[in-house]
Amino acid sequence: MSVKGQRWWLVGASEGLGRELARQMSAAGAELVLSARSGARLEALVAELPGPARALPMDVADMGSVRAAAAEVGEIDGLVWLAATYWPMAAQDWDADRVAQMCDVNLTGCARVLGQVVPGFAARGRGHLVLTGSLAGYRGLPGAIGYGASKAGVMALAEAMQADLRGSGVKVQLVNPGFIRTRLTDLNDFDMPFLMEPEEAAARILKHMGTKRFALSFPRRFAALFRLGQFLPDALWYRIMG
């Protein structure tokens, strides 16, 4: 599968991983609609891209904004969900407003956007959905209140859609990256193993989009720890993570 000549909606494209994926998809020949809250950043990105693209500001936490943007986008071949917000936070430091915002943007925002796209894809029997989860969604981690739960929800959404839509003509894929150098991970004050640059992460995602595989978790060695962690006894897992 190639994105050349296809029309894609990238949600969460104004910076970081989304911005770099937009660059690589545009270079590969895709026509892009780019959404995020910052119209100025989107317009600056559109000006840099080699292929056709348009900026469509949208707030995924606002249902009216999502519905209006989806109506303006029109028919697309694919959607990539990349939007996320993050603050490192332990349970002892619970900030109710920030936890609610992480859940509302990262998970409920994803559901809002999917609700405007999936029914049309299912009715046509055609479309491609790519959701960005996280290695942090596999099991509970220290300092991941809000973020880990929201990403686990996105991963569960992708898995449920794959269960329902496989064989329908609608392709569902999930990508679960580890640490990527962005303004969000810049908030972390701890060592981040296997820290990737956005360019490398975007290239892996674009390559995965051309395969028939459902899920990709990366970097491989780091992801193996989290995959194995699903089978470890609770006491051992929390001792390792602690």
Side-chain angles (χ1 to χ4, degrees):
M1 194 281 296
S2 169
V3 299
K4 186 175 182 179
Q6 293 187 346
R7 192 164 186 265
W8 281 79
W9 189 13
L10 272 59
V11 180
S14 63
E15 55 188 292
L17 176 60
R19 190 178 188 89
E20 183 54 37
L21 184 61
R23 288 192 180 107
Q24 295 189 22
M25 290 183 68
S26 181
E31 176 187 349
L32 303 178
V33 180
L34 307 176
S35 288
R37 285 184 300 172
S38 174
R41 288 176 180 168
L42 292 173
E43 292 290 357
L45 175 57
V46 166
E48 298 174 9
L49 297 180
R54 63 167 297 194
L56 182 59
M58 176 180 68
D59 182 356
V60 301
D62 181 330
M63 192 68 201
S65 177
V66 171
R67 285 188 174 129
E72 194 169 342
V73 167
E75 190 166 322
I76 53 174
D77 296 294
L79 165 77
V80 185
W81 170 263
L82 299 136
T85 190
Y86 165 73
W87 291 276
M89 190 183 307
Q92 296 92 327
D93 304 315
W94 197 296
D95 182 320
D97 290 337
R98 285 183 168 179
V99 170
Q101 186 174 343
M102 282 188 276
C103 293
D104 193 33
V105 170
N106 302 359
L107 174 56
T108 310
C110 182
R112 289 187 187 99
V113 173
L114 289 173
Q116 303 303 306
V117 174
V118 175
F121 279 6
R124 292 196 303 269
R126 179 174 58 85
H128 190 169
L129 300 160
V130 182
L131 272 61
T132 307
S134 170
L135 296 184
Y138 274 110
R139 285 200 72 169
L141 297 170
I145 291 295
Y147 185 77
S150 66
K151 285 298 187 177
V154 171
M155 293 159 70
L157 269 177
E159 290 167 356
M161 288 193 300
Q162 170 69 352
D164 287 336
L165 295 171
R166 59 191 299 269
S168 71
V170 180
K171 182 176 179 179
V172 180
Q173 291 186 301
L174 171 67
V175 291
N176 301 314
F179 294 114
I180 302 171
R181 193 187 307 278
T182 66
R183 66 173 180 83
L184 298 181
T185 53
D186 285 346
L187 298 173
N188 292 333
D189 60 1
F190 52 83
D191 290 335
M192 292 178 279
F194 303 98
L195 179 66
M196 292 175 290
E197 298 300 325
E199 294 82 359
E200 178 188 357
R204 293 193 186 203
I205 292 172
L206 185 56
K207 182 178 179 181
H208 178 63
M209 288 165 59
T211 72
K212 295 182 179 180
R213 291 176 56 197
F214 165 61
L216 172 69
S217 298
F218 64 95
R220 184 176 299 177
R221 283 189 294 164
F222 197 34
L225 170 64
F226 291 87
R227 296 291 298 273
L228 175 63
Q230 293 181 300
F231 303 98
L232 293 179
D234 291 343
L236 180 56
W237 172 255
Y238 292 114
R239 189 179 308 133
I240 292 171
M241 290 298 111

